[in-house]
Amino acid sequence: MTPEYPEIATPVRTQAIMNQYGIATKKSLGQNFLTDLNILRNIVAAAELGPDDDVVEIGPGIGALTEQLAKNAHQVLAFEIDDRLIPVLADTLSPYKNVKILQQDILKTDLPTTLAQELPGNGPKKLVANLPYYITTPILMNVLQSGVALTNIVVMMQKEVAERLAAKPGTKEYGSLSIIVQYRMNAEIAFIVPKTAFVPQPNVDSAIVKLTEREPLTVMPFDEKAFFKFVKGSFVHRRKSYLNNLLVLFGKSDDTKAKITAALAECAVDPKIRAERLDLRQFITLTNAFHAQGLI
């Protein structure tokens, strides 16, 4: 049975740990320590953790979320890039024998190999993390494209970024990030986290985003990299009609315009529509149609 210790995620204990180790948060690493136990418990609840689940965490800080994960999961594997925090975590998480900290940059880690070595069991694997805000999107895309099978992903990020991930067609937040993430997972905002819940207090509110396995797509792009590139290019000039945007992207020669027009007609897409009104399936069919026209 795990001994009872004062929980890390309280303002008093967080400040005591920072004072004990002389820690000043690094803005360059996007460090903000969460000091609200209710929010942490709600994150764990959103991840639907069970005793058989293995959890991956990125950026454990001083261990506030890690502690709550350890209490509810089978094992926790956390990646921390800041070498100052390694001895802190060894201390604060010493009561929990199901936690391992790796001092590694998640963006430089061979995630499939590392997880196979460190979490070799057959239980469900989940990612739960308070992601560094300055590098949220690269981390998330790296994980999604790693090929690692995750039952779900529950991550904290800036509210504005969260809204883009979960956005639906026709909204101002909807864009290439929405489509690329939703191509792999279902995305929803679980709840909002006020900036007052952190030390130091950031300038913006945060949100918890939950990503879950999506249903199989009925149509697939001929090539994923080409699909992602096409989607990003489709939103370069958001105020233009889709036809005009594509003419900027591919060129305005008569031959190119004829091919673009033919591809749009094949997919029953109105040339006057704007990119943000097209859904995931339409972007996939457009990618394939443009490929068939020799444009991609």
Side-chain angles (χ1 to χ4, degrees), residues 247-267:
L247 290 173
V248 172
L249 186 61
F250 290 102
K252 298 181 179 180
S253 70
D254 290 342
D255 181 59
T256 299
K257 186 174 181 179
K259 290 179 178 179
I260 292 173
T261 302
L264 293 175
E266 179 186 338
C267 299

Side-chain angles (χ1 to χ4, degrees), residues 213-285:
E213 294 177 296
R214 64 161 300 129
E215 62 283 359
L217 292 163
T218 56
V219 59
M220 296 295 292
F222 78 95
D223 178 83
E224 282 191 359
K225 289 184 178 179
F227 168 64
F228 296 151
K229 184 177 180 180
F230 178 72
V231 168
K232 289 177 182 178
S234 294
F235 286 90
V236 170
H237 304 282
R238 291 182 67 101
R239 294 181 180 276
K240 293 180 179 290
S241 70
Y242 197 42
L243 174 59
N244 284 332
N245 205 351
L246 293 171
L247 290 173
V248 172
L249 186 61
F250 290 102
K252 298 181 179 180
S253 70
D254 290 342
D255 181 59
T256 299
K257 186 174 181 179
K259 290 179 178 179
I260 292 173
T261 302
L264 293 175
E266 179 186 338
C267 299
V269 171
D270 183 351
K272 297 179 181 179
I273 203 170
R274 288 186 177 179
E276 60 264 30
R277 303 197 65 84
L278 301 173
D279 62 23
L280 170 62
R281 191 180 189 284
Q282 287 174 302
F283 273 106
I284 294 174
T285 57

Side-chain angles (χ1 to χ4, degrees), residues 20-32:
Q20 178 183 352
Y21 287 92
I23 297 173
T25 55
K26 283 188 175 181
K27 188 174 181 180
S28 62
L29 295 179
Q31 291 173 338
N32 301 92

Side-chain angles (χ1 to χ4, degrees), residues 74-271:
H74 174 238
Q75 285 183 286
V76 181
L77 179 67
F79 293 83
E80 178 55 61
I81 195 174
D82 189 349
D83 58 358
R84 303 173 307 151
L85 297 179
I86 301 303
V88 181
L89 290 163
D91 180 14
T92 60
L93 299 174
S94 60
Y96 306 99
K97 307 308 178 186
N98 59 339
V99 175
K100 183 168 185 178
I101 307 297
L102 295 182
Q103 187 184 345
Q104 292 183 20
D105 181 346
I106 193 68
L107 293 177
K108 298 178 181 177
T109 299
D110 182 338
L111 201 56
T113 299
T114 302
L115 296 195
Q117 292 172 346
E118 302 293 346
L119 300 173
N122 295 322
K125 291 180 174 55
K126 300 179 177 181
L127 170 63
V128 186
N130 176 9
L131 296 178
Y133 289 173
Y134 77 106
I135 201 168
T136 294
T137 301
I139 289 176
L140 188 57
M141 296 312 303
N142 182 67
V143 171
L144 289 176
Q145 294 174 12
S146 69
V148 172
L150 296 167
T151 304
N152 65 38
I153 298 173
V154 176
V155 286
M156 185 186 299
M157 60 187 67
Q158 286 187 25
K159 180 172 174 282
E160 179 183 351
V161 179
E163 289 170 342
R164 291 167 57 201
L165 259 65
K168 302 302 180 186
T171 63
K172 65 178 182 179
E173 294 83 11
Y174 184 73
S176 59
L177 182 61
S178 319
I179 296 161
I180 292 170
V181 169
Q182 293 170 31
Y183 169 74
R184 298 194 183 278
M185 309 281 281
N186 292 317
E188 63 175 318
I189 295 178
F191 58 94
I192 305 301
V193 180
K195 55 189 175 183
T196 53
F198 296 90
V199 173
Q201 183 173 305
N203 296 324
V204 295
D205 288 334
S206 304
I208 303 299
V209 174
K210 183 172 183 178
L211 305 178
T212 54
E213 294 177 296
R214 64 161 300 129
E215 62 283 359
L217 292 163
T218 56
V219 59
M220 296 295 292
F222 78 95
D223 178 83
E224 282 191 359
K225 289 184 178 179
F227 168 64
F228 296 151
K229 184 177 180 180
F230 178 72
V231 168
K232 289 177 182 178
S234 294
F235 286 90
V236 170
H237 304 282
R238 291 182 67 101
R239 294 181 180 276
K240 293 180 179 290
S241 70
Y242 197 42
L243 174 59
N244 284 332
N245 205 351
L246 293 171
L247 290 173
V248 172
L249 186 61
F250 290 102
K252 298 181 179 180
S253 70
D254 290 342
D255 181 59
T256 299
K257 186 174 181 179
K259 290 179 178 179
I260 292 173
T261 302
L264 293 175
E266 179 186 338
C267 299
V269 171
D270 183 351

